[in-house]
Amino acid sequence: MKKLATLSICWMISLIGYSQKLNLFKSKAPELPDLFAPGVISDQFGNRNMAISPDASEFMYTLQYKSGAYSGILYCKYKNGKWSVPDIAPFSGQYNDLEPAYAPDGSKLYFVSNRPLTAQGKVKDYDIWLVEKNAHGDWGSPVILPSPVNTSKNEFYPAVTSSGNIYFTREMPDQDEDIVVCTWNGSGYDDAVSLPAAINSNKAEFNAYIDADEQFILYTAYRREGNSGSGDIYISFKNEEGHLGTSSNLGPKINDSGLTYCPYVSPDKKYFFFTSSRWSGPPFDSKNNLKQIKTLLSSPINGWDNIYFMDASTILSKK
């Protein structure tokens, strides 16, 4: 059977089922990775990293075109029994913004941006910013997190826990990237500390999802021995001594031959999301005409990053 001959039909079926797939908290998650909301959330432009509000009334994700040439934060809201059409978040659309992350109580949203510190300033390196909801439930004006969270290096992919600790990716001197944590001391953040050797190495580890209670971590390790692709997602659970234990690769059903990254678990821990650039290109089972090729290239499986999801119990069950 032609790979592309069935593509448009399968895509149409997926779109018909979009409302069920997107209505995350009323549908059963797939056992194996499946493209998330194809044609609406996952589309031909490239999309990555999902974040759901704790009350499941809103979610945000990054539209990232051409490997970062443009990055913007999009959002949908759940009203009157259905999800709204995606739109640019109120605080995004002017600069390169990406990687939204809700605070555990939903009152704040952390994200990454290269926006200037003042209206007249120049764009700078990527830093972590914060936006809060006002009394009317609307997002206010973004503010940059202070030092020691942000530095002259790039900071990416924030994750905030119930204790107030913030985990994120930082460019490191004399190596690539580490996953670090700034502990909240009640009045401010302590200096960033790299996570231990169970997580970090002398190569690149990045884009970590942290359980709100800090019981496990999911992250990507780049070009690590034993990877299925260039970057694989790993998981580490806190052990009986209260430390993160040895990391385990999530395996080839999740990690493919390319880069698999941006792990995320829904607040109810039912759904696991990740980003992948999975591609259904040549060689095909048979010759395809131009219409079929254009259908592929304008579909969500054209090789750009997109969001996949599955049942989280598979990865959260300790073995």
Side-chain angles (χ1 to χ4, degrees):
M1 182 179 293
K2 291 182 180 180
K3 187 182 298 184
L4 283 184
T6 59
L7 175 62
S8 58
I9 297 174
C10 292
W11 191 13
M12 288 173 63
I13 293 172
S14 295
L15 286 173
I16 293 171
Y18 160 73
S19 60
Q20 287 77 34
K21 285 190 175 183
L22 189 54
N23 192 351
L24 299 177
F25 299 93
K26 292 185 180 179
S27 62
K28 181 177 175 58
E31 293 184 5
L32 295 175
D34 194 11
L35 192 65
F36 178 69
V40 182
I41 303 301
S42 294
D43 60 21
Q44 71 270 32
F45 297 112
N47 303 273
R48 49 172 291 213
N49 63 278
M50 180 97 174
I52 304 171
S53 63
D55 65 359
S57 68
E58 184 179 60
F59 73 84
M60 299 203 182
Y61 65 102
T62 301
L63 167 64
Q64 188 166 76
Y65 182 65
K66 288 190 175 180
S67 302
Y70 170 77
S71 294
I73 295 175
L74 276 62
Y75 79 119
C76 299
K77 296 185 73 70
Y78 190 69
K79 288 185 176 180
N80 302 320
K82 63 181 181 180
W83 287 97
S84 64
V85 174
D87 198 0
I88 294 288
F91 51 85
S92 190
Q94 184 173 3
Y95 304 101
N96 275 340
D97 304 321
L98 65 159
E99 300 175 345
Y102 289 93
D105 65 359
S107 65
K108 303 179 183 68
L109 186 91
Y110 299 79
F111 68 99
V112 172
S113 180
N114 70 343
R115 62 185 61 202
L117 297 179
T118 65
Q120 291 74 36
K122 296 180 179 180
V123 294
K124 60 189 304 292
D125 64 312
Y126 283 94
D127 287 321
I128 298 173
W129 290 69
L130 167 69
V131 62
E132 297 191 58
K133 278 191 172 179
N134 60 29
H136 302 288
D138 300 319
W139 294 110
S141 298
V143 296
I144 191 169
L145 266 63
S147 174
V149 174
N150 288 310
T151 66
S152 59
K153 298 287 187 179
N154 287 322
E155 283 81 26
F156 294 107
Y157 215 78
V160 179
T161 68
S162 298
S163 64
N165 298 339
I166 181 168
Y167 293 73
F168 56 96
T169 303
R170 175 177 285 170
E171 289 184 337
M172 304 299 289
D174 303 321
Q175 60 181 75
D176 203 323
E177 295 177 321
D178 262 4
I179 299 165
V180 304
V181 58
C182 284
T183 300
W184 178 254
N185 60 31
S187 59
Y189 291 107
D190 293 337
D191 289 342
V193 176
S194 290
L195 297 191
I199 309 299
N200 286 314
S201 69
N202 60 358
K203 297 183 179 179
E205 286 77 27
F206 52 89
N207 289 19
Y209 169 84
I210 312 296
D211 171 46
D213 297 323
E214 298 174 87
Q215 294 302 303
F216 65 90
I217 179 175
L218 288 152
Y219 67 96
T220 291
Y222 191 66
R223 300 200 182 282
R224 180 177 289 185
E225 185 178 352
N227 277 7
S228 298
S230 59
D232 282 13
I233 297 177
Y234 287 73
I235 190 167
S236 170
F237 294 95
K238 187 170 285 188
N239 57 30
E240 295 179 355
E241 289 75 35
H243 305 297
L244 290 170
T246 302
S247 296
S248 299
N249 189 305
L250 293 188
K253 291 182 179 180
I254 294 171
N255 297 308
D256 70 353
S257 59
L259 176 63
T260 309
Y261 67 127
C262 296
Y264 175 77
V265 177
S266 61
D268 63 0
K269 293 186 172 57
K270 291 183 179 179
Y271 300 87
F272 169 55
F273 298 86
F274 62 90
T275 299
S276 176
S277 57
R278 300 176 186 208
W279 158 242
S280 293
F284 302 120
D285 294 335
S286 60
K287 175 180 170 61
N288 289 277
N289 60 36
L290 181 58
K291 182 179 179 180
Q292 291 171 318
I293 296 297
K294 285 187 174 181
T295 297
L296 172 63
L297 296 179
S298 61
S299 78
I301 49 174
N302 62 359
W304 290 115
D305 289 340
N306 264 306
I307 300 170
Y308 290 76
F309 78 128
M310 61 181 291
D311 188 339
S313 64
T314 302
I315 66 163
L316 298 183
S317 300
K318 296 183 181 180
K319 297 180 180 180

